[in-house]
Amino acid sequence: MANTIKKIGVLTSGGDAPGMNAAIRAVVRACSFYNVDCVGVYRGYQGLMEGDFEELNARSVRNIINKGGTFLKSARSMEFKTVEGRKRAYEQLTKNNIDALVVIGGDGTFTGGVYFSKEFDLPIVGIPATIDNDISGTDFTLGYDTALNTVVDAIDKIRDTASSHNRLFFIEVMGRDAGDIALNSGIGAGAEEILIPEEDEGVERMLESLRKSKMSGKLSSIIVVAEGEKSGKNIFQLAEYVEEHLEDYDIRVSVLGHIQRGGRPSCFDRVLASKLGVGAVEALLDGDSKVMIGLNHQHVVRVPLTVAINGEAKYDKELRRVADITSV
Ligand code: F6P
């Protein structure tokens, strides 16, 4: 490796995701392994502009692989979206002799990174971390697997009470404009119907499916609703709509909210974080920049950040087919 990089900064930005701590740990330990200094940047790009830094060594990241959240904290900075803000951040980097950055986050984080890297010719590598799994060029984002398991666990519990009372539950899950959490957790928890942003099949389909469920002898039902789904009704309006049209249903609504973002990362996310963290440092030491370290069929790959941000949303139509067949 042609190593001209002596000090790497690492930050987490945007919505936090389980596995971010494990990724920071891997970056810090890879730096230590390759004899490169590492600096933690607190509060994402906001802390970068303010010079909120701390030197990290291999021991600074002990016992964090199993912790949710991010000990470096996270923020969504409006100021970094301006050229002045990014200039301020660059001044902090030069003042502290930081040669390169690893940015851990989602599309907003990567977009900021692309601008910053281009304007100041600074090597930047991204690690995809968001529960939404909405980044192109990687099969999985950090935190998605843990969030899925959290959601399935919550739906299993709701299923218990739904079943005891013969009720229909509408359950809203996160995902912003992506339906990955809804579709996969819906199949995993045996939901009767799943509404996702990628396809709007209309509320009539849902009514029809509930009618069929009743006729087939189902006594309780679960409908998983992605927060970004496109029916034009929010989850409470959807519930009211069904109540008006199918009077014999006793309906409740549950919005899972931010519990989906917390908790101990799954083993899958810890291993993924470790692979991507090591891959990020190695990419920088190889002289790569403006790339995301992703996973493609088990292999760690380097994908241009622009592709990660602008690529086609990956939506698995086969999963919808499987959901329809297994919910009859
Ligand atoms: O991107 C992660 C995510 O949790 C989305 O699923 C959700 O739409 C959004 O962040 C919530 O953001 P905040 O924590 O700022 O309310």
Side-chain angles (χ1 to χ4, degrees):
M1 288 181 197
N3 185 358
T4 55
I5 290 174
K6 299 278 176 251
K7 199 190 263 190
I8 292 175
V10 57
L11 61 80
T12 48
S13 162
D16 64 350
M20 278 184 161
N21 275 324
I24 299 165
R25 171 182 178 271
V27 168
V28 173
R29 297 235 164 131
C31 283
S32 174
F33 182 84
Y34 289 112
N35 292 314
V36 176
D37 290 338
C38 190
V39 171
V41 179
Y42 284 94
R43 294 177 295 119
Y45 291 125
Q46 192 60 37
L48 192 63
M49 292 180 295
E50 295 170 15
D52 195 358
F53 302 155
E54 185 185 342
E55 301 271 343
L56 300 174
N57 61 42
R59 298 286 73 75
S60 321
V61 289
R62 61 161 71 96
N63 298 338
I64 64 165
I65 193 168
N66 57 343
K67 301 273 194 299
T70 159
F71 90 94
L72 287 178
K73 302 197 183 286
S74 192
R76 291 191 169 111
S77 170
M78 295 313 286
E79 194 187 343
F80 192 74
K81 291 187 175 170
T82 66
V83 185
E84 294 75 31
R86 294 193 289 274
K87 189 163 174 286
R88 206 150 80 84
Y90 185 67
E91 283 161 8
Q92 291 290 353
L93 288 179
T94 45
K95 197 166 115 192
N96 289 274
N97 301 315
I98 298 171
D99 313 304
L101 272 184
V102 175
V103 296
I104 305 171
D107 57 352
T109 306
F110 292 171
T111 304
V114 168
Y115 279 113
F116 194 41
S117 181
K118 272 188 192 153
E119 283 163 1
F120 299 99
D121 195 24
L122 180 87
I124 291 192
V125 167
I127 294 179
T130 161
I131 63 165
D132 302 338
N133 204 37
D134 59 351
I135 302 288
S136 298
T138 185
D139 295 340
F140 301 104
T141 56
L142 277 184
Y144 169 62
D145 181 68
T146 305
L148 265 188
N149 284 303
T150 301
V151 171
V152 166
D153 185 53
I155 300 178
D156 284 349
K157 286 173 176 149
I158 291 172
R159 170 80 74 186
D160 288 345
T161 176
S163 166
S164 302
H165 291 269
N166 289 348
R167 280 177 170 159
L168 161 62
F169 266 84
F170 280 85
I171 303 175
E172 185 185 282
V173 300
M174 280 186 170
R176 208 181 289 269
D177 296 320
D180 290 38
I181 294 180
L183 196 48
N184 285 274
S185 69
I187 291 175
E192 275 59 42
E193 192 57 61
I194 305 166
L195 308 187
I196 57 174
E198 289 84 350
E199 54 181 28
D200 174 19
E201 301 214 349
V203 282
E204 282 312 312
R205 174 193 143 114
M206 183 178 63
L207 287 185
E208 199 41 45
S209 147
L210 286 170
R211 280 191 196 103
K212 278 191 194 148
S213 289
K214 249 305 183 258
M215 278 164 57
S216 75
K218 284 193 186 184
L219 300 173
S220 64
S221 294
I222 301 284
I223 299 188
V224 175
V225 182
E227 63 175 343
E229 69 84 29
K230 301 282 192 294
S231 69
K233 298 185 194 301
N234 67 36
I235 191 164
F236 295 97
Q237 292 166 334
L238 280 172
E240 269 169 30
Y241 184 82
V242 172
E243 215 155 31
E244 280 163 18
H245 290 80
L246 305 172
E247 284 163 6
D248 48 348
Y249 270 107
D250 184 12
I251 303 177
R252 294 291 184 276
V253 172
S254 183
V255 177
L256 296 188
H258 286 77
I259 63 161
Q260 296 164 90
R261 288 245 295 266
R264 300 165 65 226
S266 64
C267 184
F268 179 87
D269 274 329
R270 297 180 201 191
V271 175
L272 181 61
S274 304
K275 286 162 98 165
L276 301 186
V278 169
V281 171
E282 290 181 341
L284 284 173
L285 297 183
D286 280 347
D288 255 327
S289 179
K290 299 187 204 64
V291 292
M292 171 188 78
I293 309 303
L295 196 72
N296 188 340
H297 295 99
Q298 305 291 340
H299 295 290
V300 172
V301 290
R302 299 174 188 178
V303 180
L305 278 176
T306 46
V307 171
I309 300 164
N310 300 319
E312 293 272 296
K314 46 185 177 359
Y315 153 51
D316 189 350
K317 290 208 166 73
E318 176 60 10
L319 278 183
R320 158 62 75 200
R321 205 177 69 82
V322 169
D324 287 347
I325 292 173
T326 54
S327 62
V328 291

Short mmCIF file of all heavy atoms in Angstrom, two decimals, residues 64-96:
data_model
loop_
_atom_site.label_atom_id
_atom_site.label_comp_id
_atom_site.label_asym_id
_atom_site.label_seq_id
_atom_site.Cartn_x
_atom_site.Cartn_y
_atom_site.Cartn_z
N ILE A 64 -17.15 -1.80 22.86
CA ILE A 64 -18.25 -1.06 22.22
C ILE A 64 -18.87 -1.82 21.05
O ILE A 64 -19.87 -1.39 20.49
CB ILE A 64 -17.84 0.36 21.75
CG1 ILE A 64 -16.77 0.28 20.63
CG2 ILE A 64 -17.37 1.23 22.90
CD1 ILE A 64 -16.60 1.61 19.89
N ILE A 65 -18.28 -2.95 20.69
CA ILE A 65 -18.79 -3.68 19.52
C ILE A 65 -20.25 -4.09 19.72
O ILE A 65 -21.02 -4.21 18.76
CB ILE A 65 -17.90 -4.91 19.19
CG1 ILE A 65 -18.24 -5.45 17.79
CG2 ILE A 65 -18.00 -6.00 20.24
CD1 ILE A 65 -17.25 -6.45 17.24
N ASN A 66 -20.65 -4.26 20.97
CA ASN A 66 -22.00 -4.74 21.27
C ASN A 66 -22.98 -3.62 21.63
O ASN A 66 -24.11 -3.89 22.02
CB ASN A 66 -21.95 -5.74 22.42
CG ASN A 66 -21.30 -5.14 23.66
OD1 ASN A 66 -20.63 -4.12 23.56
ND2 ASN A 66 -21.48 -5.77 24.80
N LYS A 67 -22.57 -2.38 21.49
CA LYS A 67 -23.42 -1.27 21.93
C LYS A 67 -24.18 -0.61 20.77
O LYS A 67 -23.59 -0.31 19.72
CB LYS A 67 -22.58 -0.18 22.60
CG LYS A 67 -21.78 -0.64 23.82
CD LYS A 67 -22.63 -0.53 25.08
CE LYS A 67 -21.81 -0.64 26.35
NZ LYS A 67 -21.09 -1.92 26.50
N GLY A 68 -25.46 -0.33 20.98
CA GLY A 68 -26.24 0.40 19.99
C GLY A 68 -25.84 1.86 19.97
O GLY A 68 -25.01 2.30 20.78
N GLY A 69 -26.42 2.64 19.09
CA GLY A 69 -26.11 4.07 18.99
C GLY A 69 -24.70 4.29 18.47
O GLY A 69 -24.11 3.42 17.83
N THR A 70 -24.17 5.49 18.74
CA THR A 70 -22.79 5.79 18.34
C THR A 70 -22.15 6.64 19.42
O THR A 70 -22.69 7.71 19.75
CB THR A 70 -22.71 6.52 16.98
OG1 THR A 70 -21.45 7.20 16.90
CG2 THR A 70 -23.82 7.54 16.77
N PHE A 71 -21.03 6.19 19.96
CA PHE A 71 -20.43 6.96 21.05
C PHE A 71 -19.86 8.28 20.55
O PHE A 71 -19.69 9.23 21.31
CB PHE A 71 -19.38 6.12 21.81
CG PHE A 71 -17.97 6.22 21.27
CD1 PHE A 71 -17.07 7.15 21.79
CD2 PHE A 71 -17.55 5.39 20.24
CE1 PHE A 71 -15.78 7.23 21.28
CE2 PHE A 71 -16.27 5.47 19.75
CZ PHE A 71 -15.37 6.39 20.26
N LEU A 72 -19.62 8.39 19.23
CA LEU A 72 -19.17 9.67 18.67
C LEU A 72 -20.35 10.63 18.47
O LEU A 72 -20.16 11.78 18.11
CB LEU A 72 -18.46 9.45 17.32
CG LEU A 72 -17.06 8.84 17.39
CD1 LEU A 72 -16.50 8.63 15.98
CD2 LEU A 72 -16.10 9.71 18.20
N LYS A 73 -21.52 10.15 18.71
CA LYS A 73 -22.78 10.89 18.53
C LYS A 73 -22.98 11.26 17.05
O LYS A 73 -22.07 11.15 16.24
CB LYS A 73 -22.82 12.14 19.41
CG LYS A 73 -22.65 11.79 20.89
CD LYS A 73 -23.09 12.87 21.80
CE LYS A 73 -22.84 12.48 23.25
NZ LYS A 73 -23.79 11.47 23.72
N SER A 74 -24.22 11.66 16.75
CA SER A 74 -24.54 11.95 15.36
C SER A 74 -25.35 13.24 15.27
O SER A 74 -25.94 13.68 16.27
CB SER A 74 -25.34 10.79 14.76
OG SER A 74 -25.41 10.93 13.37
N ALA A 75 -25.36 13.84 14.10
CA ALA A 75 -26.13 15.08 13.92
C ALA A 75 -26.46 15.23 12.45
O ALA A 75 -25.84 14.61 11.59
CB ALA A 75 -25.29 16.27 14.39
N ARG A 76 -27.50 16.02 12.19
CA ARG A 76 -27.79 16.40 10.80
C ARG A 76 -27.50 17.89 10.70
O ARG A 76 -28.23 18.70 11.25
CB ARG A 76 -29.26 16.10 10.45
CG ARG A 76 -29.55 14.60 10.38
CD ARG A 76 -30.93 14.33 9.78
NE ARG A 76 -31.08 12.91 9.49
CZ ARG A 76 -31.90 12.09 10.15
NH1 ARG A 76 -32.63 12.55 11.13
NH2 ARG A 76 -31.98 10.83 9.82
N SER A 77 -26.39 18.26 10.05
CA SER A 77 -25.94 19.65 10.06
C SER A 77 -26.40 20.43 8.83
O SER A 77 -26.12 20.05 7.71
CB SER A 77 -24.42 19.69 10.15
OG SER A 77 -23.96 21.01 9.94
N MET A 78 -27.11 21.53 9.06
CA MET A 78 -27.53 22.41 7.96
C MET A 78 -26.34 23.24 7.48
O MET A 78 -26.18 23.50 6.29
CB MET A 78 -28.66 23.35 8.40
CG MET A 78 -29.95 22.64 8.77
SD MET A 78 -30.47 21.41 7.57
CE MET A 78 -31.05 22.45 6.24
N GLU A 79 -25.49 23.64 8.44
CA GLU A 79 -24.37 24.53 8.09
C GLU A 79 -23.38 23.84 7.13
O GLU A 79 -22.80 24.49 6.26
CB GLU A 79 -23.66 24.97 9.37
CG GLU A 79 -22.71 26.14 9.12
CD GLU A 79 -21.87 26.51 10.33
OE1 GLU A 79 -22.20 26.10 11.46
OE2 GLU A 79 -20.85 27.19 10.12
N PHE A 80 -23.21 22.54 7.29
CA PHE A 80 -22.26 21.83 6.43
C PHE A 80 -22.75 21.79 4.98
O PHE A 80 -21.97 21.53 4.06
CB PHE A 80 -21.99 20.41 6.97
CG PHE A 80 -20.83 19.74 6.32
CD1 PHE A 80 -19.52 20.10 6.63
CD2 PHE A 80 -21.02 18.73 5.38
CE1 PHE A 80 -18.44 19.48 6.01
CE2 PHE A 80 -19.94 18.09 4.76
CZ PHE A 80 -18.65 18.48 5.09
N LYS A 81 -24.05 22.07 4.79
CA LYS A 81 -24.59 22.10 3.43
C LYS A 81 -24.13 23.36 2.69
O LYS A 81 -24.34 23.49 1.48
CB LYS A 81 -26.11 22.04 3.46
CG LYS A 81 -26.62 20.68 3.92
CD LYS A 81 -28.11 20.56 3.79
CE LYS A 81 -28.53 19.15 4.16
NZ LYS A 81 -29.96 18.98 4.29
N THR A 82 -23.53 24.31 3.41
CA THR A 82 -23.06 25.54 2.77
C THR A 82 -21.55 25.45 2.51
O THR A 82 -20.83 24.75 3.24
CB THR A 82 -23.32 26.77 3.66
OG1 THR A 82 -22.50 26.66 4.85
CG2 THR A 82 -24.79 26.85 4.08
N VAL A 83 -21.08 26.18 1.49
CA VAL A 83 -19.64 26.19 1.17
C VAL A 83 -18.86 26.74 2.36
O VAL A 83 -17.78 26.23 2.71
CB VAL A 83 -19.37 27.08 -0.08
CG1 VAL A 83 -17.92 27.00 -0.49
CG2 VAL A 83 -20.25 26.63 -1.22
N GLU A 84 -19.41 27.76 3.02
CA GLU A 84 -18.71 28.37 4.17
C GLU A 84 -18.52 27.33 5.27
O GLU A 84 -17.46 27.24 5.89
CB GLU A 84 -19.52 29.55 4.74
CG GLU A 84 -19.65 30.75 3.82
CD GLU A 84 -20.64 30.51 2.68
OE1 GLU A 84 -21.62 29.75 2.88
OE2 GLU A 84 -20.41 31.06 1.58
N GLY A 85 -19.57 26.54 5.50
CA GLY A 85 -19.50 25.51 6.54
C GLY A 85 -18.41 24.49 6.22
O GLY A 85 -17.61 24.09 7.07
N ARG A 86 -18.37 24.08 4.96
CA ARG A 86 -17.37 23.06 4.56
C ARG A 86 -15.96 23.63 4.62
O ARG A 86 -15.01 22.95 4.97
CB ARG A 86 -17.71 22.51 3.17
CG ARG A 86 -19.02 21.73 3.15
CD ARG A 86 -19.19 20.93 1.88
NE ARG A 86 -19.44 21.75 0.71
CZ ARG A 86 -20.64 22.16 0.32
NH1 ARG A 86 -21.71 21.85 1.03
NH2 ARG A 86 -20.79 22.89 -0.78
N LYS A 87 -15.85 24.94 4.35
CA LYS A 87 -14.53 25.59 4.43
C LYS A 87 -14.06 25.57 5.89
O LYS A 87 -12.90 25.27 6.19
CB LYS A 87 -14.66 27.03 3.92
CG LYS A 87 -13.35 27.74 3.76
CD LYS A 87 -13.53 28.98 2.85
CE LYS A 87 -12.26 29.81 2.79
NZ LYS A 87 -12.01 30.58 4.01
N ARG A 88 -14.97 25.86 6.78
CA ARG A 88 -14.66 25.86 8.22
C ARG A 88 -14.20 24.45 8.64
O ARG A 88 -13.24 24.29 9.39
CB ARG A 88 -15.95 26.23 8.99
CG ARG A 88 -15.70 26.87 10.34
CD ARG A 88 -16.85 27.84 10.67
NE ARG A 88 -18.06 27.20 11.17
CZ ARG A 88 -18.24 26.86 12.44
NH1 ARG A 88 -17.31 27.06 13.33
NH2 ARG A 88 -19.38 26.31 12.84
N ALA A 89 -14.88 23.45 8.11
CA ALA A 89 -14.52 22.06 8.45
C ALA A 89 -13.12 21.74 7.94
O ALA A 89 -12.31 21.12 8.63
CB ALA A 89 -15.53 21.10 7.84
N TYR A 90 -12.83 22.21 6.71
CA TYR A 90 -11.51 21.91 6.13
C TYR A 90 -10.39 22.57 6.94
O TYR A 90 -9.32 21.98 7.16
CB TYR A 90 -11.46 22.37 4.66
CG TYR A 90 -10.17 21.96 3.99
CD1 TYR A 90 -9.89 20.62 3.76
CD2 TYR A 90 -9.23 22.91 3.62
CE1 TYR A 90 -8.69 20.24 3.17
CE2 TYR A 90 -8.03 22.54 3.02
CZ TYR A 90 -7.77 21.19 2.81
OH TYR A 90 -6.59 20.81 2.23
N GLU A 91 -10.67 23.79 7.41
CA GLU A 91 -9.66 24.48 8.23
C GLU A 91 -9.35 23.68 9.51
O GLU A 91 -8.21 23.58 9.93
CB GLU A 91 -10.16 25.89 8.59
CG GLU A 91 -10.02 26.86 7.43
CD GLU A 91 -10.91 28.11 7.55
OE1 GLU A 91 -11.52 28.32 8.63
OE2 GLU A 91 -10.98 28.84 6.56
N GLN A 92 -10.40 23.10 10.08
CA GLN A 92 -10.19 22.29 11.29
C GLN A 92 -9.33 21.06 10.98
O GLN A 92 -8.49 20.66 11.77
CB GLN A 92 -11.53 21.83 11.88
CG GLN A 92 -12.37 22.94 12.46
CD GLN A 92 -11.78 23.51 13.74
OE1 GLN A 92 -10.79 23.00 14.29
NE2 GLN A 92 -12.37 24.59 14.23
N LEU A 93 -9.57 20.48 9.81
CA LEU A 93 -8.81 19.28 9.43
C LEU A 93 -7.34 19.62 9.24
O LEU A 93 -6.46 18.91 9.74
CB LEU A 93 -9.37 18.66 8.14
CG LEU A 93 -10.73 17.96 8.26
CD1 LEU A 93 -11.18 17.42 6.91
CD2 LEU A 93 -10.65 16.80 9.26
N THR A 94 -7.07 20.71 8.52
CA THR A 94 -5.65 21.06 8.28
C THR A 94 -4.98 21.44 9.60
O THR A 94 -3.84 21.05 9.85
CB THR A 94 -5.51 22.20 7.25
OG1 THR A 94 -6.45 23.22 7.57
CG2 THR A 94 -5.77 21.73 5.84
N LYS A 95 -5.70 22.18 10.45
CA LYS A 95 -5.15 22.57 11.75
C LYS A 95 -4.75 21.35 12.58
O LYS A 95 -3.78 21.36 13.32
CB LYS A 95 -6.22 23.38 12.50
CG LYS A 95 -5.69 24.18 13.66
CD LYS A 95 -6.74 25.20 14.10
CE LYS A 95 -7.20 24.86 15.51
NZ LYS A 95 -8.39 25.59 15.91
N ASN A 96 -5.50 20.27 12.41
CA ASN A 96 -5.24 19.06 13.21
C ASN A 96 -4.51 17.97 12.41
O ASN A 96 -4.45 16.82 12.85
CB ASN A 96 -6.57 18.51 13.75
CG ASN A 96 -7.14 19.39 14.83
OD1 ASN A 96 -6.80 19.26 15.99
ND2 ASN A 96 -8.00 20.33 14.45
#
